[in-house]
Amino acid sequence: MSSASNSLASGSTIKLLSISRRSSDSSSDIQLPLLQNEAQQGSLFSYVQSLPNSSNPISVLRKFWAQVKILYYSRGQDRTKGFRHVEINALRTTPLVDERSGRPFVKNWIRSNRYTPLTFLPRQLFAQFSKLANFYFLCFALMQLVPGLSTIGNKTNIIPLMIFVSISMAKEGFDDYRRHRLDSQENRQVVLSLDKRTPAISGSLNWQKTQWRSLVVGDIIKLQRDEAVPADIVLLSSTSRGGSNVAHVETIALDGETNLKIKRVDKAVAEACATPAKIINCSVKFIIEDPHPDLSSFKGRVTVNDQASLLNNDNVVYRGSVLRNISEATAMVVYSGQECKIRLNANGDGQAHIKAPRLQYMVNKIIFVVALFVLGLSLYNTLAYQIWKSDIENKLFYLSGATVPTHESIFGFLIMFATMVPLSLYISMEMIKLAQIFFLSSDLDMYDEASNIPCEARTSTINEELGQITHIFSDKTGTLTGNEMKFRKMYVAGGIWAHEDAGDLNQDHIRAAERPKLFSPISEQRSGSERSTKEMMRHFSERPDSAFGQKAMLMLFCMALCHSCVPEISQDGITIDFQSSSPDELALIRAAQAMGVSMRSRDHDSIILSLSTSKDASIRTETYKVLNVIDFSNDRRRMSIIVRFPDGKTCIICKGADSVVMERLRLSKSTTETSVRSQRLGEQVDQDGNIGAVPDGDGQFDLENCVSSVTRFANESLRTLLYAYRFLDKSEYEEWRVKWDAATASLDGNEEMTEKVAELIEVNFELAGATAVEDKLQPGVPGSIDKLLRANIKVWMLTGDKRETAINIGHSCGLIKENSTILDLSDDNQSGNIVDAIESHISSLKSAEHSVVVIDGCTLTTIFNESIGSLKARFFDLVVLADSVICCRTQPSQKAQVVHGIKIRMPNAVTLAVGDGANDIAMIQEAHVGIGITGKEGFQAARNSDYSIAQFRFLPKLLLVHGRWNYVRTSKYILGTLWKEVVFYLSQSLFQRWVGYTGTSLYEPLSATQFNTLFTSLSIMCIGVFDKDLAASTLLAVPELYISMGQRNGGINIWIYLGWTAMAVSESCIVFFSMLTLFGRAETTKDNTLFSMGDLNFVAVVIIVSLKLLVLEMHNKSIVAAITMFLTVGAPFLWNLIFAAAYPLTTAYRVRGGFFTGFGQNPTWWLTLIFIIICVYMYEFSVSALRKAFFPTDTDVFQELEQDKAFMARYNGTTALEFEWISSRYNDEPVC
């Protein structure tokens, strides 16, 4: 059974589906009245008695069961599945119980830590060995523990495995303990709550201090100004400066936005809780939806004295918010603890997109090859033993009974060579990447002093991806531009009016030298048709009753009323500023204030305007009653407000994108040719500089003038909005309001229903005017894009702005060059025409020197919705050939679709998406690397990104320098790790020839165990953390160096790996055969036992690894490398001293005293060691010199150039001058 109606009002009906498929009743469902309580519905017995005798038994049973369900869900009061019921009861002493489950609601105790002392060990062991690498080594370690299988000891695998797993567990435990301490600090914070035992004393409420963790759903609390909210609450009353029941809330901890948001107290609730006596005796019942993580959505209903009203997001304040601009507020807890929205968002839904670096796939292939090599090597040695056994072992009497079974032989060799796939490869790589992001975050060149925001990494997994980027998808507003809006122009009453702030003029002249002449500042572009807004103000102040004066004043009213800004009065009580979530709205409301119409205060149902537009400079105030607000959304792309003017007239005001508002104008139906005519008129205006006055009553001409002006604004890279209005009849409004209240009262499908109802009244508008806001480029954007383009990175711009605005920003930032061929794709709503256009553009790309494809959202919709997919395929065939792409009028989902399409079309591409707003999150998460700009639109994009920076100009340093460094470091770490394992363990295989392939280990087992941890980990981690193959100034001055390294896999590929492996094989042979020939078989050898030979090989390999990695491969020599070299070279000798003194006596390896009295006093041992080191070093040096001489890379060339001091001085000077120029150009203080 399912309910088809969610309304619980008296007299409504509920439709219940039939539960019987065998009913003879032709109807498959029934409708029964749903009354408010059981008393109204009557008993089931009376209902059965009322049934007619002729009723079909099956039908009767169906109806009876439906009535039972109705009574069950309406028991006591109307209970709805998916909604909780909370009643204000100041005398309640027991926790409130959810009647659906019979259990109390959760307490306000939060927990971020993942483990308890009892669960930590088992859960961590499971988590650690769920990793494939750890499980791989665990299997070999367990095999090694089986007696008789291992010839290198029983602990050579289990000990390093335990060390690395213990380190990972300790790190996880420490992080979890820190989370536990932070949770305890937050849980122990104190808030004032109403004493449940004695709620009132002497007519006043009795408040007591309560820890946050002790709060439960239904508790009433009291909050002061600047106090943090302890749980998700519904406001009961609020005392603000204006005396209204409005609270201003800061939500930076929730959504990163620093603007204040308005939270309102429901009018009926405010009256019911106005005094202490009313709070104690009130009858207020809340029905609210179950917790969910969406911060922008809340559904609920409150019933006060049997009168119901809707609750929405404006009535709820979420945990993590801070109350501002109020004296105090009273509220009731509705969600607590882990059910608070901030906690639900912190916990996540488990659907996060996991990004894996492209380098990981190559490493996995290499590891697979190494694993096959280990298996092949083990099989070869096993087969060789069988041959040796038949040829030699069976003929030697002293080896009788010593035969090794075949299964023990193969398992023994697998254990011996297992660590050629080193466990340290995975563990140390994580430590290296953590160190890399530390240096990345500490780079002062990527620190924005103005906002006090450094570069921040939220992941370490994909550090090397920053050095392999091939495509960048960038938002425009707030990313390329500064999102610091300045109101520049407006169209009203047939004319264009330019607005200038005195403080902006100096900055415009500072930036003038940088801009191309075609895109000079607005103050320099004023034509004869433009006049100052000061002149407009003078006109309507002198003749306020004229048609022009009324039109201009109405436009200012629209700007001052239709917005979501909050006025904020300073401490002096005179100065007014505004808080807004939108920089556009802030610029518009401040412009209206500058032109004489200022908002003084705002309540949930009224706005007070201060007017100073009269000629005598007098100031008067007017109150406008707010009847309804239809909020802006990405789908609607407009906002509407219905207000009642002081003269009693009801008016709806709408503002939004020109394409959206235009189709809702009264005259839009007769303007099919308006866009074409207005485009021509706009071109004529640009040439002639004249717009005629609007003839009286000629709205059509006014509309065409407005469209041409909007086109002109867009050509000047300005952001445009259209304002429209309509006065409503009382009957029309009342009829619509009933539908609106019904739609907003619906607890299911609220958004869809309200949008449909809003469409009913947002029609037949009259044009009020248009505004133009300037969003200037961020400092350094053109230079940054030039560097990225030179690095062979294709930069795409994806924006929701108009085509003209996007193209002009493309010119300004350098995406479109003087020699660019612009290929425009427009939607003809016919797939065939678009295909023809794409084919034509593909042909023209062959002859274009530089090409830019421009496409709008409508065309993208047609392309992505085409069922066959051929149109989409040809579109991506086109755009991958273009140098840049500009997508305008795009939706957030389309941005993600474009990124996904490139990933599919070009599997080897590495994509990066950069944006600053919530509408960029989908694109950021879809790309291989997501960059968030911590800009004016909040921190939503930054929180969902992999890395965040304060400004776009830091992107070249992040990619070209840190990205390349991290790629080179990670590549060398991987190659060095695999190389040293071959050098070390191949000697074991070579040694088997002289021990009959019996699996006898050349190395002492404990020494072999510590090879990767104590002896070579520092040197390999040092190059992975500190290496810099080229200076930062060189990489920034020559962005082309980015191409040959990361984009073309110049750091690591199969051929480079094979080259390193070949060197490892030859060097292992040099080390082993030199040891065997010069020491093992030398007649002058004093101690040529198994341990002395193995130790010589061991010490030589450790020193060779340090020399190769820290001297030959590490380009920038530093004190860190010198210290690491000293420690790693000295470690094996210290190890020998400890072994010689403390090693237990054994028959297999003569270790005790060997370094003191045995091979340590033998000159042959030392001379052989020195000879081996010199031979390998000279061999490495010679091969490297020959490669650089005959096959030099770009890196080799510029490393040589960096030795020239004049060269480096020039590059360093250029880079320093560039940063200084950007800082001086965009300093807030005037430049003299």
Side-chain angles (χ1 to χ4, degrees):
M1 301 175 66
S2 63
S3 174
S5 174
N6 295 306
S7 176
L8 300 180
S10 175
S12 62
T13 60
I14 182 169
K15 180 182 291 186
L16 298 172
L17 297 180
S18 172
I19 61 170
S20 174
R21 295 183 180 269
R22 295 176 295 177
S23 172
S24 61
D25 197 328
S26 60
S27 175
S28 61
D29 52 50
I30 59 175
Q31 293 188 3
L32 293 174
L34 177 60
L35 303 179
Q36 289 184 345
N37 50 53
E38 286 184 48
Q40 290 175 310
Q41 292 178 7
S43 64
L44 285 175
F45 179 75
S46 61
Y47 170 74
V48 173
Q49 285 184 328
S50 66
L51 292 173
N53 296 331
S54 60
S55 299
N56 186 297
I58 300 298
S59 179
V60 170
L61 179 61
R62 292 171 54 219
K63 295 180 180 180
F64 177 80
W65 178 247
Q67 187 72 7
V68 171
K69 296 293 290 183
I70 292 173
L71 292 177
Y72 175 79
Y73 283 116
S74 60
R75 186 174 48 191
Q77 52 184 311
D78 44 348
R79 302 296 180 187
T80 308
K81 185 178 180 180
F83 294 85
R84 62 175 54 180
H85 300 253
V86 184
E87 181 179 356
I88 295 181
N89 187 352
L91 303 176
R92 184 191 302 112
T93 57
T94 59
L96 192 63
V97 175
D98 188 347
E99 294 187 2
R100 296 168 297 177
S101 63
R103 299 177 181 177
F105 294 107
V106 298
K107 288 189 176 182
N108 199 41
W109 177 78
I110 67 165
R111 173 185 166 186
S112 300
N113 57 309
R114 303 171 183 172
Y115 311 101
T116 66
L118 294 178
T119 63
F120 175 76
L121 187 60
R123 291 185 61 186
Q124 262 298 294
L125 287 175
F126 178 80
Q128 292 297 328
F129 291 107
S130 296
K131 300 176 182 178
L132 184 61
N134 289 351
F135 183 75
Y136 168 85
F137 282 100
L138 178 64
C139 292
F140 282 106
L142 293 177
M143 283 194 299
Q144 192 177 22
L145 294 177
V146 177
L149 289 184
S150 175
T151 61
I152 59 173
N154 295 334
K155 302 176 183 178
T156 55
N157 279 326
I158 195 67
I159 289 179
L161 179 64
M162 291 175 61
I163 291 174
F164 287 125
V165 169
S166 298
I167 291 173
S168 297
M169 292 176 63
K171 176 181 177 296
E172 186 67 26
F174 178 72
D175 291 342
D176 204 56
Y177 175 70
R178 287 195 305 172
R179 288 191 289 265
H180 170 72
R181 291 187 59 184
L182 294 174
D183 290 342
S184 298
Q185 293 176 5
E186 185 169 349
N187 287 328
R188 288 189 173 93
Q189 292 189 69
V190 175
V191 69
L192 293 176
S193 68
L194 191 63
D195 192 339
K196 299 174 183 177
R197 297 181 179 179
T198 311
I201 298 178
S202 302
S204 300
L205 295 176
N206 182 23
W207 302 102
Q208 63 176 358
K209 291 184 178 181
T210 305
Q211 290 187 349
W212 283 17
R213 62 181 178 180
S214 300
L215 295 176
V216 294
V217 172
D219 282 359
I220 300 174
I221 62 175
K222 179 181 179 181
L223 298 170
Q224 307 288 341
R225 177 186 174 94
D226 299 332
E227 186 174 357
V229 178
D232 292 356
I233 58 176
V234 171
L235 292 173
L236 304 180
S237 65
S238 171
T239 305
S240 61
R241 290 183 177 179
S244 60
N245 283 301
V246 173
H248 297 159
V249 178
E250 181 183 277
T251 60
I252 188 171
L254 287 164
D255 53 22
E257 297 178 0
T258 57
N259 58 285
L260 299 183
K261 296 180 176 60
I262 298 178
K263 298 294 182 178
R264 301 179 175 88
V265 185
D266 183 80
K267 188 175 182 180
V269 174
E271 293 176 355
C273 302
T275 64
K278 287 185 176 181
I279 290 180
I280 296 175
N281 301 313
C282 68
S283 175
V284 180
K285 303 173 185 178
F286 293 91
I287 303 176
I288 57 177
E289 62 182 343
D290 283 336
H292 61 80
D294 189 356
L295 292 169
S296 62
S297 173
F298 178 82
K299 300 176 185 178
R301 193 174 61 199
V302 59
T303 303
V304 182
N305 299 326
D306 298 329
Q307 298 294 322
S309 59
L310 176 72
L311 293 177
N312 56 33
N313 214 39
D314 292 338
N315 306 116
V316 185
V317 184
Y318 300 123
R319 178 176 182 144
S321 305
V322 179
L323 297 182
R324 306 291 189 194
N325 293 349
I326 65 166
S327 299
E328 62 182 37
T330 305
M332 184 182 70
V333 177
V334 291
Y335 301 136
S336 56
Q338 297 296 117
E339 293 182 344
C340 293
K341 294 207 173 187
I342 189 174
R343 298 302 308 161
L344 294 176
N345 279 276
N347 294 339
D349 56 3
Q351 301 298 319
H353 180 58
I354 299 175
K355 298 182 179 181
R358 188 172 65 167
L359 195 60
Q360 178 176 316
Y361 300 108
M362 183 178 296
V363 173
N364 290 340
K365 294 177 182 178
I366 293 175
I367 295 300
F368 180 73
V369 172
V370 175
L372 291 179
F373 177 73
V374 169
L375 180 61
L377 195 61
S378 302
L379 292 175
Y380 166 77
N381 282 275
T382 301
L383 180 61
Y385 170 71
Q386 298 301 322
I387 298 174
W388 181 83
K389 181 175 67 173
S390 60
D391 292 344
I392 300 177
E393 182 180 3
N394 294 335
K395 300 177 182 179
L396 300 175
F397 69 93
Y398 56 84
L399 293 180
S400 61
T403 300
V404 181
T406 303
H407 71 280
E408 290 186 7
S409 177
I410 189 170
F411 281 118
F413 285 119
L414 284 173
I415 293 171
M416 177 180 290
F417 302 127
T419 46
M420 290 188 74
V421 180
L423 175 64
S424 60
L425 177 66
Y426 302 94
I427 306 298
S428 300
M429 188 183 295
E430 292 301 318
M431 300 173 67
I432 285 173
K433 290 187 176 182
L434 288 175
Q436 289 174 357
I437 65 172
F438 170 77
F439 291 116
L440 188 147
S441 303
S442 304
D443 191 341
L444 293 179
D445 287 341
M446 295 191 295
Y447 167 74
D448 185 51
E449 188 175 358
S451 59
N452 192 30
I453 295 176
C455 174
E456 184 177 355
R458 289 172 173 80
T459 181
S460 61
T461 306
I462 55 176
N463 288 349
E464 63 273 18
E465 293 276 77
L466 294 171
Q468 299 178 281
I469 302 300
T470 59
H471 290 73
I472 291 179
F473 301 88
S474 175
D475 178 41
K476 182 185 74 68
T477 306
T479 303
L480 299 178
T481 60
N483 208 11
E484 296 180 0
M485 309 300 179
K486 299 293 183 181
F487 183 82
R488 290 306 187 192
K489 297 181 181 182
M490 64 187 300
Y491 171 86
V492 64
I496 297 178
W497 309 87
H499 182 80
E500 292 179 352
D501 291 333
D504 297 330
L505 296 178
N506 197 24
Q507 290 297 317
D508 285 338
H509 290 299
I510 291 173
R511 295 176 173 89
E514 172 195 355
R515 296 175 178 264
K517 291 298 180 182
L518 242 124
F519 305 100
S520 57
I522 302 305
S523 57
E524 297 178 8
Q525 289 188 7
R526 183 180 302 175
S527 65
S529 64
E530 296 179 9
R531 287 166 288 183
S532 171
T533 53
K534 295 181 180 179
E535 187 178 354
M536 182 187 73
M537 293 169 60
R538 180 173 58 83
H539 283 327
F540 67 68
S541 63
E542 292 177 352
R543 301 177 58 187
D545 297 330
S546 64
F548 170 80
Q550 292 178 359
K551 190 81 172 177
M553 182 59 72
L554 184 57
M555 178 61 182
L556 293 181
F557 281 151
C558 291
M559 294 170 59
L561 293 172
C562 189
H563 56 79
S564 59
C565 298
V566 180
E568 185 178 15
I569 303 176
S570 62
Q571 295 294 333
D572 59 12
I574 300 175
T575 308
I576 297 179
D577 200 0
F578 306 94
Q579 293 284 344
S580 174
S581 59
S582 169
D584 296 78
E585 285 193 336
L586 195 60
L588 294 171
I589 191 67
R590 285 175 176 171
Q593 182 184 36
M595 288 183 280
V597 181
S598 175
M599 180 174 61
R600 297 290 301 179
S601 67
R602 179 169 192 161
D603 203 343
H604 66 284
D605 60 355
S606 65
I607 295 177
I608 298 178
L609 298 183
S610 174
L611 309 179
S612 58
T613 57
S614 59
K615 188 175 180 180
D616 56 3
S618 61
I619 299 176
R620 71 182 190 275
T621 59
E622 293 181 352
T623 301
Y624 294 78
K625 185 174 181 60
V626 179
L627 302 178
N628 300 95
V629 177
I630 308 175
D631 293 322
F632 173 88
S633 69
N634 286 330
D635 294 330
R636 286 169 37 79
R637 299 177 65 194
R638 64 188 183 277
M639 171 191 178
S640 296
I641 185 172
I642 303 177
V643 296
R644 181 167 292 142
F645 281 33
D647 59 3
K649 292 182 178 180
T650 301
C651 181
I652 177 173
I653 302 172
C654 178
K655 74 171 180 182
D658 57 310
S659 59
V660 175
V661 176
M662 193 73 67
E663 63 186 14
R664 286 165 175 78
L665 295 179
R666 178 178 59 86
L667 297 175
S668 64
K669 299 177 182 178
S670 60
T671 57
T672 54
E673 298 180 0
T674 293
S675 59
V676 177
R677 294 163 54 194
S678 60
Q679 179 71 26
R680 295 172 182 170
L681 181 60
E683 295 172 357
Q684 181 181 354
V685 167
D686 288 337
Q687 296 172 359
D688 302 337
N690 295 308
I691 295 182
V694 179
D696 293 339
D698 193 349
Q700 181 66 32
F701 188 75
D702 185 24
L703 177 60
E704 295 183 5
N705 258 342
C706 181
V707 172
S708 64
S709 300
V710 169
T711 302
R712 175 174 174 172
F713 296 158
N715 288 333
E716 297 173 2
S717 302
L718 301 178
R719 294 164 57 88
T720 59
L721 284 175
L722 250 61
Y723 282 84
Y725 68 94
R726 181 165 68 93
F727 288 100
L728 306 174
D729 294 335
K730 183 177 180 180
S731 58
E732 179 187 5
Y733 170 70
E734 292 298 332
E735 181 182 352
W736 176 86
R737 187 179 63 83
V738 172
K739 298 177 182 178
W740 176 259
D741 291 343
T744 54
S746 173
L747 296 181
D748 285 338
N750 179 273
E751 292 83 359
E752 295 180 2
M753 294 179 64
T754 53
E755 288 187 8
K756 290 180 180 179
V757 175
E759 293 276 356
L760 300 177
I761 201 168
E762 291 177 326
V763 294
N764 296 327
F765 285 119
E766 300 292 336
L767 178 65
T771 58
V773 176
E774 182 181 14
D775 188 11
K776 297 180 179 179
L777 286 176
Q778 288 186 10
V781 167
S784 299
I785 290 182
D786 178 66
K787 284 185 171 63
L788 297 173
L789 294 177
R790 289 172 57 191
N792 196 36
I793 299 175
K794 292 190 176 183
V795 182
W796 293 28
M797 182 170 69
L798 290 74
T799 178
D801 277 346
K802 288 173 63 67
R803 172 186 175 277
E804 293 80 4
T805 304
I807 290 177
N808 280 277
I809 291 295
H811 279 287
S812 301
C813 68
L815 284 180
I816 303 177
K817 305 180 182 298
E818 294 182 359
N819 61 339
S820 296
T821 300
I822 298 179
L823 308 175
D824 192 7
L825 285 175
S826 59
D827 182 25
D828 297 326
N829 293 321
Q830 295 179 6
S831 300
N833 290 344
I834 297 179
V835 170
D836 293 340
I838 291 176
E839 297 295 340
S840 174
H841 292 331
I842 291 177
S843 301
S844 61
L845 279 176
K846 299 177 181 179
S847 59
E849 184 178 354
H850 185 273
S851 59
V852 179
V853 173
V854 179
I855 186 171
D856 60 5
C858 293
T859 309
L860 287 175
T861 301
T862 303
I863 291 172
F864 289 132
N865 291 342
E866 195 246 349
S867 57
I868 301 177
S870 59
L871 181 59
K872 180 178 177 181
R874 293 304 291 165
F875 166 70
F876 282 105
D877 289 341
L878 168 66
V879 294
V880 296
L881 296 175
D883 295 288
S884 293
V885 178
I886 296 177
C887 301
C888 54
R889 295 297 195 190
T890 54
Q891 300 296 327
S893 60
Q894 291 177 327
K895 294 182 179 182
Q897 285 178 314
V898 170
V899 176
H900 180 72
I902 287 295
K903 291 170 63 177
I904 298 299
R905 176 61 177 78
M906 303 180 67
N908 293 326
V910 180
T911 59
L912 180 147
V914 54
D916 72 318
N919 59 336
D920 301 316
I921 292 176
M923 173 179 67
I924 287 173
Q925 293 181 338
E926 179 62 38
H928 292 99
V929 179
I931 304 292
I933 302 290
T934 51
K936 300 293 183 179
E937 294 187 26
F939 289 78
Q940 297 182 27
R943 288 202 312 269
N944 289 274
S945 65
D946 303 307
Y947 305 89
S948 63
I949 53 179
Q951 293 193 18
F952 186 87
R953 64 186 173 95
F954 299 140
L955 192 58
K957 182 72 180 290
L958 181 63
L959 301 185
L960 306 183
V961 178
H962 288 283
R964 177 192 171 96
W965 283 347
N966 291 337
Y967 172 75
V968 171
R969 291 164 178 168
T970 306
S971 300
K972 285 187 177 180
Y973 165 78
I974 295 170
L975 291 170
T977 301
L978 297 175
W979 166 82
K980 68 183 179 70
E981 301 302 320
V982 175
V983 174
F984 185 73
Y985 284 101
L986 191 58
S987 299
Q988 288 272 43
S989 181
L990 295 173
F991 181 63
Q992 298 308 306
R993 169 67 180 81
W994 282 265
V995 292
Y997 301 97
T998 56
T1000 303
S1001 175
L1002 175 64
Y1003 305 116
E1004 188 275 327
L1006 190 57
S1007 300
T1009 301
Q1010 302 303 319
F1011 174 75
N1012 286 319
T1013 53
L1014 295 181
F1015 299 104
T1016 58
S1017 59
L1018 278 181
S1019 56
I1020 195 66
M1021 291 179 66
C1022 182
I1023 195 173
V1025 174
F1026 297 103
D1027 189 30
K1028 299 177 182 179
D1029 64 330
L1030 290 171
S1033 56
T1034 303
L1035 296 174
L1036 288 174
V1038 190
E1040 291 80 3
L1041 289 169
Y1042 189 83
I1043 305 172
S1044 59
M1045 187 56 67
Q1047 289 182 354
R1048 296 179 179 173
N1049 297 322
I1052 180 173
N1053 54 54
I1054 189 63
W1055 298 110
I1056 294 177
Y1057 166 71
L1058 291 177
W1060 279 65
T1061 303
M1063 293 293 294
V1065 171
S1066 57
E1067 287 163 357
S1068 181
C1069 292
I1070 292 173
V1071 173
F1072 176 77
F1073 287 110
S1074 297
M1075 177 275 298
L1076 185 65
T1077 303
L1078 300 179
F1079 178 75
R1081 294 180 173 179
E1083 297 180 357
T1084 58
T1085 300
K1086 181 178 181 180
D1087 178 8
N1088 61 350
T1089 59
L1090 180 61
F1091 176 72
S1092 61
M1093 290 191 298
D1095 191 64
L1096 175 58
N1097 208 97
F1098 180 86
V1099 174
V1101 171
V1102 171
I1103 296 176
I1104 288 169
V1105 168
S1106 300
L1107 284 174
K1108 177 179 174 64
L1109 296 179
L1110 299 177
V1111 177
L1112 296 177
E1113 293 296 332
M1114 193 167 183
H1115 178 64
N1116 62 317
K1117 308 301 187 293
S1118 62
I1119 186 64
V1120 176
I1123 294 174
T1124 304
M1125 185 72 181
F1126 173 78
L1127 293 176
T1128 54
V1129 171
F1133 299 106
L1134 179 61
W1135 184 260
N1136 275 321
L1137 290 174
I1138 296 174
F1139 263 31
Y1143 197 86
L1145 294 176
T1146 180
T1147 57
Y1149 298 94
R1150 294 180 54 186
V1151 181
R1152 176 72 70 88
F1155 195 66
F1156 294 147
T1157 60
F1159 65 88
Q1161 295 184 354
N1162 190 346
T1164 306
W1165 191 91
W1166 292 98
L1167 291 174
T1168 304
L1169 176 64
I1170 295 172
F1171 176 80
I1172 291 173
I1173 295 172
I1174 293 175
C1175 285
V1176 174
Y1177 183 83
M1178 293 304 297
Y1179 174 61
E1180 280 277 359
F1181 183 80
S1182 301
V1183 172
S1184 178
L1186 290 173
R1187 183 193 59 79
K1188 291 181 180 180
F1190 293 100
F1191 307 100
T1193 63
D1194 294 339
T1195 302
D1196 298 329
V1197 173
F1198 278 88
Q1199 284 178 348
E1200 190 70 24
L1201 289 174
E1202 284 184 345
Q1203 305 303 316
D1204 186 352
K1205 294 183 179 180
F1207 173 86
M1208 288 305 297
R1210 182 169 69 252
Y1211 272 8
N1212 289 330
T1214 301
T1215 305
L1217 184 63
E1218 179 182 354
F1219 280 105
E1220 181 181 356
W1221 178 82
I1222 291 174
S1223 300
S1224 64
R1225 285 288 179 189
Y1226 294 91
N1227 197 294
D1228 291 335
E1229 298 180 0
V1231 178
C1232 300

